[in-house]
Amino acid sequence: FNGLQHLYAHGFEGHGDLKPSNILYADLSDRFKLDDDNKWPNVNHPWQIRIADLGWADAWLDLGFTNKAFRQYLAPERLSGPDGASGRVVPIQSDMFSMGIVAAELLQRSHPASDFKKATGSEGKWKRCVETGDWNLNEISSDRLRRLILKCLHVSPESRPTPDECISEICAELLDIYGQDIAPTLQLWNEQSSPIAENEHIGWAGTQTIGLGVEEEKRSREALERRLKEFAVRDFETCETWITLAKPLIDLLEREYHPETTVKIDQLRESANLYLTEVIGEMNRPGMESMRQRGDWPKSVQPFERFSEAVDGLAEIAGFEYESDNAVSQRLGPLALAALAFSIASRYRGLNGSKNEYFLSEAIRHAPEEAVPYYFRAKWRHMSSLIEKLDTNLHSDQELATWVADLEIAINLSPSWQEPKAFLDSLRSPRQSSE
């Protein structure tokens, strides 16, 4: 239920194909040291659970295949009508019905239909089973959970519980009967690690509807447009969030050949130009280093890498080329130009060595006090050498000296950054050939 709630909060209208095989369980006891206390997971309850197979998510309305799922988990409103037409979809409530079946199977090891074979023999028989409430939940000892499952299995979608209600009831049961207080842990898991994370999910989900049909694409496009109107760009973080919504919105707008959409795309490109020059284009090192760290990214990611990704995103939307001699390039500060050059170098890595080298040099030229380009120049040169020679023992002393020089600069510029130190140690180690 918590996994479904996460999907619904991050851009999905509904799963649509819930069944035991689409709920994955991992046993953490073999991989992690777990506590034997009231935390969850723990030694006694080491499972991590994931919702899988989103192949039907959000696609039923446009494709018209509301009954394309295992009948024994299918909400009655999704069954075909008397005329053969597809049923209606109530996304979250339909999922809640399926979860009622899954929960019953999980708790009593059998399907809740009193006569499973008869009830699932046809759409009509299945619908009658649901309408009459012909369920057998006798093996479920908990009155609270039995009532919750019956509510999930209600014939009317509007009468079924929300995921939050289900979570609340299950947490209460675990606390009252088993002394397991998992509500604080769920709350911690569900906290947004950064303001951008939710919008990244929504932007990604929007682009997944491309090709599913005009109506589905329109719905995704309108959702992104509404989201963009909800906040104002005023600093780096709001600018960063704007990019995650604007890029997929442009992808969706470009699918519709209409003068109105062309105007909207032009407006987005103009906004990107403005944010690039006015909001982050003049950012300096103190400003960049004061950015709050994103909790959903590895701690090893440096502020310059994150800044570079934002500058590159705005430049892409705006259609700005690095070597353009125009008003935009003249209004960008050296750090922004270095970030853009670094992002271009990243794209050429492994594809064009000379361009990769050129743009790394440009990044260093614009921001010689920034450690990141030095470190990655050494790292990428080393990796390229490994690929070319297929033998780690063939590095020349000159190559090694070049890599070491860049790493020493990076370490001097950013003493707390551990990756350059670890890489330098590996190069100087007798085991360098195996690394």
Side-chain angles (χ1 to χ4, degrees), residues 177-295:
I177 307 301
Y178 301 98
Q180 294 283 354
D181 187 8
I182 71 167
T185 303
L186 290 180
Q187 183 178 359
L188 181 63
W189 282 350
N190 294 329
E191 282 182 2
Q192 287 299 326
S193 53
S194 77
I196 192 177
E198 179 180 351
N199 290 292
E200 280 185 329
H201 282 288
I202 290 172
W204 172 84
T207 58
Q208 302 311 300
T209 63
I210 291 177
L212 290 180
V214 174
E215 289 303 313
E216 188 64 39
E217 291 178 10
K218 180 182 177 182
R219 187 159 59 248
S220 295
R221 187 174 66 249
E222 290 174 348
L224 288 172
E225 288 179 322
R226 286 194 300 271
R227 179 70 62 143
L228 272 173
K229 292 177 181 177
E230 290 178 358
F231 68 96
V233 174
R234 57 188 179 275
D235 54 21
F236 176 81
E237 289 189 357
T238 51
C239 186
E240 191 179 31
T241 301
W242 184 87
I243 295 167
T244 67
L245 297 171
K247 289 176 75 173
L249 177 56
I250 289 175
D251 290 339
L252 287 162
L253 289 169
E254 287 178 339
R255 300 272 300 174
E256 186 177 341
Y257 301 102
H258 191 278
E260 182 181 340
T261 60
T262 302
V263 171
K264 290 181 178 179
I265 292 172
D266 289 342
Q267 290 173 341
L268 288 169
R269 298 200 188 284
E270 290 173 7
S271 295
N273 261 309
L274 177 66
Y275 303 149
L276 182 61
T277 55
E278 300 293 332
V279 179
I280 69 174
E282 289 294 332
M283 184 173 281
N284 53 25
R285 282 182 59 80
M288 182 185 69
E289 292 172 350
S290 67
M291 295 185 307
R292 288 182 298 175
Q293 189 173 26
R294 286 188 58 170

Side-chain angles (χ1 to χ4, degrees), residues 281-402:
E282 289 294 332
M283 184 173 281
N284 53 25
R285 282 182 59 80
M288 182 185 69
E289 292 172 350
S290 67
M291 295 185 307
R292 288 182 298 175
Q293 189 173 26
R294 286 188 58 170
D296 55 331
W297 280 14
K299 292 182 179 180
S300 59
V301 175
Q302 299 299 291
F304 182 81
E305 294 177 76
R306 181 179 171 190
F307 178 62
S308 177
E309 187 168 305
V311 170
D312 183 56
L314 286 176
E316 180 184 343
I317 296 171
F320 169 66
E321 299 290 339
Y322 170 76
E323 295 179 308
S324 299
D325 185 16
N326 59 22
V328 175
S329 61
Q330 295 172 15
R331 296 172 67 183
L332 293 181
L335 195 62
L337 288 171
L340 184 55
F342 176 75
S343 67
I344 298 171
S346 301
R347 290 201 292 273
Y348 281 118
R349 174 197 166 201
L351 300 174
N352 188 317
S354 61
K355 285 188 176 292
N356 174 265
E357 287 280 335
Y358 169 73
F359 284 106
L360 278 173
S361 298
E362 284 291 282
I364 290 171
R365 179 174 70 85
H366 287 298
E369 74 290 351
E370 175 54 52
V372 168
Y374 294 103
Y375 166 70
F376 280 100
R377 185 165 68 175
K379 183 176 181 178
W380 291 342
R381 281 175 171 174
H382 177 256
M383 293 178 70
S384 178
S385 179
L386 290 177
I387 294 170
E388 289 174 4
K389 297 176 180 178
L390 299 178
D391 188 340
T392 56
N393 292 315
L394 295 179
H395 301 319
S396 68
D397 290 342
Q398 183 177 357
E399 283 180 314
L400 190 60
T402 302

Side-chain angles (χ1 to χ4, degrees), residues 2-54:
N2 198 56
L4 288 169
Q5 182 69 351
H6 178 83
L7 291 178
Y8 304 144
H10 292 87
F12 285 89
E13 294 175 342
H15 186 285
D17 192 18
L18 287 168
K19 53 191 176 185
S21 60
N22 286 341
I23 302 174
L24 308 183
Y25 296 78
D27 187 341
L28 303 184
S29 58
D30 293 336
R31 291 182 290 154
F32 298 99
K33 180 175 174 59
L34 300 173
D35 295 321
D36 188 15
D37 56 23
N38 284 339
K39 294 179 181 178
W40 193 290
N42 61 40
V43 171
N44 294 320
H45 305 282
W47 305 289
Q48 190 176 56
I49 304 169
R50 292 287 183 267
I51 305 297
D53 194 357
L54 302 173

